C-alpha cells in the first residue's frame, strides 16, 4: 500500500516541517542523520553525489525512521522522474522551474495518463513489486510535488507557478537567486531576501506552502515563525565539515 505521506499532510495543514539536505549519497551517512528526527530529508541528485541506486538504498534506510524523503532530481526530466517514482520516492523537488508551463511539465512527469506522461511499470519497488493493487489510485495524492523558484524570471512568474494544478509547494532557492542578482555566494544578502520575502508572504497569505534552505539557525526560526512550512537548516556534508574543523581547532587550542 502507498503509505500516507506525513510531510505532505503537514504542509497542507500549515504545520512547520524542519529538514536537512542529504548530499553525500551514502546510505550509512543517511541513516546517521535520519536518526536525528528531522521531519524531511532532501536527497540531492542535482549537486549531490548520489545516483539512482544510491537513492534507492537511501529510501530503504529512511523508511525505518519518521522523516519523509524528498528527492531532488538533477533536472526537470521526465525520464529521471519516472525512475525515481518507480523506486518509491514519496516526493520530488524540481530544480529551476521558470514558469507555469515548466511546473505543469513537472507535475505531468509524476502522473500516469491521461493526467500526465509517466510510463507504467507493474512490478516496481513503488508498487510493492506488484502486490499493491491500489497503487495507481492512491499515489497521486500521497506524492509531494515541490518546485524550486531560483531566478528573477521565476520570481516574476511565482504566482502562476504556485497555482499550477498539482503543485504542492514552492521552494525558494536563495543561492541561485543571489547569483542571478549579481551576488554570487551571498545567499543571505539583504537585497536577495527583499525579493524573496514579499513573494513568499503573498503565497503564504493564499495558504500555499513555501519552503527554503538557510544555514542560519536564527533566520530559519524566523522564517518558520513567519509562515514558511518547510525549511531545511543544513546539510550532512556541512555538518561533517564543521564538526571536523571545530574538533581539530579545539584540540589545537592552547
Amino acid at each position: 500500500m502507498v503509505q500516507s505521506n506525513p510531510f505532505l499532510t503537514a504542509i497542507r495543514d500549515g504545520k512547520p516541517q524542519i529538514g536537512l539536505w542529504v548530499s553525500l549519497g551514502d546510505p550509512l551517512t543517511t541513516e546517521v542523520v535520519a536518526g536525528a528526527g528531522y521531519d524531511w530529508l532532501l536527497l540531492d541528485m542535482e549537486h549531490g553525489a548520489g545516483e539512482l541506486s544510491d537513492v534507492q538504498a537511501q529510501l530503504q534506510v529512511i523508511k525505518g525512521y519518521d522523516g519523509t524523503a524528498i528527492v531532488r532530481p538533477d533536472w526537470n526530466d521526465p525520464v529521471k522522474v519516472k525512475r525515481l517514482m518507480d523506486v518509491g520516492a514519496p516526493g520530488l523537488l524540481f530544480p529551476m522551474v521558470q514558469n507555469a508551463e515548466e511546473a505543469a511539465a513537472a507535475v505531468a512527469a509524476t502522473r500516469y495518463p491521461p493526467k500526465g506522461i509517466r510510463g507504467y511499470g507493474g512490478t516496481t519497488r513503488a508498487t510493492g513489486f506488484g502486490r499493491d493493487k491500489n497503487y495507481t489510485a492512491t499515489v497521486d495524492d500521497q506524492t509531494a510535488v515541490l518546485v524550486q523558484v531560483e531566478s528573477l524570471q521565476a520570481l516574476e512568474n511565482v504566482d502562476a507557478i504556485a497555482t499550477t494544478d498539482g503543485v504542492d509547494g514552492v521552494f525558494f532557492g536563495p543561492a541561485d537567486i543571489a547569483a542571478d542578482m549579481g551576488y554570487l555566494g551571498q545567499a543571505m544578502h539583504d537585497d536577495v531576501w527583499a525579493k524573496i520575502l514579499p513573494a513568499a508572504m503573498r503565497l503564504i497569505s493564499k495558504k500555499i506552502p513555501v519552503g527554503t534552505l538557510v544555514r542560519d539557525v536564527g533566520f530559519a526560526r524566523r522564517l518558520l515563525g513567519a509562515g514558511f512550512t518547510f525549511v531545511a537548516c543544513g546539510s550532512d556534508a556541512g555538518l561533517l565539515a564543521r564538526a571536523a574543523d571545530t574538533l581539530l581547532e579545539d584540540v589545537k587550542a592552547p
Side-chain angles (χ1 to χ4, degrees):
M1 296 292 291
V2 177
Q3 293 185 339
S4 177
N5 189 323
F7 169 84
L8 191 52
T9 300
I11 65 170
R12 285 171 174 169
D13 291 342
K15 296 178 180 177
Q17 298 288 282
I18 300 171
L20 185 76
W21 234 243
V22 180
S23 60
L24 294 175
D26 181 78
L28 186 58
T29 56
T30 300
E31 187 170 15
V32 172
V33 296
Y38 288 90
D39 297 308
W40 59 290
L41 296 162
L42 191 287
L43 308 183
D44 189 7
M45 299 186 76
E46 183 185 12
H47 297 296
E51 297 295 340
L52 183 67
S53 58
D54 303 308
V55 168
Q56 178 174 269
Q58 289 174 291
L59 292 172
Q60 290 169 325
V61 165
I62 294 171
K63 190 174 181 181
Y65 296 88
D66 291 334
T68 301
I70 306 294
V71 183
R72 178 165 72 172
D74 38 19
W75 196 244
N76 189 354
D77 174 3
V79 176
K80 177 64 67 64
V81 171
K82 172 173 59 179
R83 299 190 73 194
L84 290 173
M85 292 291 294
D86 283 350
V87 297
L92 297 167
L93 175 62
F94 289 85
M96 201 59 75
V97 172
Q98 300 284 63
N99 51 51
E101 291 74 22
E102 292 182 6
V107 174
T110 71
R111 306 292 200 251
Y112 292 119
K115 298 178 183 178
I117 60 170
R118 179 186 174 190
Y120 180 73
T123 54
T124 62
R125 177 175 182 268
T127 68
F129 307 100
R131 297 184 181 99
D132 184 357
K133 306 307 180 185
N134 293 317
Y135 176 79
T136 57
T138 56
V139 63
D140 290 357
D141 196 49
Q142 297 302 327
T143 300
V145 178
L146 311 172
V147 295
Q148 286 190 229
V149 166
E150 43 188 339
S151 71
L152 292 175
Q153 178 187 345
L155 279 173
E156 291 178 2
N157 296 325
V158 68
D159 295 274
I161 291 171
T163 54
T164 299
D165 188 36
V167 168
D168 294 300
V170 172
F171 180 96
F172 289 91
D176 284 297
I177 291 173
D180 203 18
M181 294 175 65
Y183 298 123
L184 183 62
Q186 302 178 65
M188 294 304 295
H189 196 287
D190 288 345
D191 291 351
V192 174
W193 285 93
K195 289 281 190 182
I196 293 173
L197 287 175
M201 293 302 110
R202 192 166 63 250
L203 299 187
I204 290 169
S205 72
K206 299 176 182 178
K207 300 189 182 306
I208 295 171
V210 300
T212 192
L213 164 64
V214 292
R215 292 177 174 83
D216 182 311
V217 172
F219 197 70
R221 289 176 181 154
R222 175 185 161 191
L223 294 177
L224 289 165
F228 276 65
T229 41
F230 57 106
V231 175
C233 52
S235 70
D236 56 351
L239 290 171
L240 180 59
R242 285 197 297 275
D245 292 347
T246 299
L247 178 60
L248 183 59
E249 291 168 5
D250 289 347
V251 173
K252 286 183 173 181

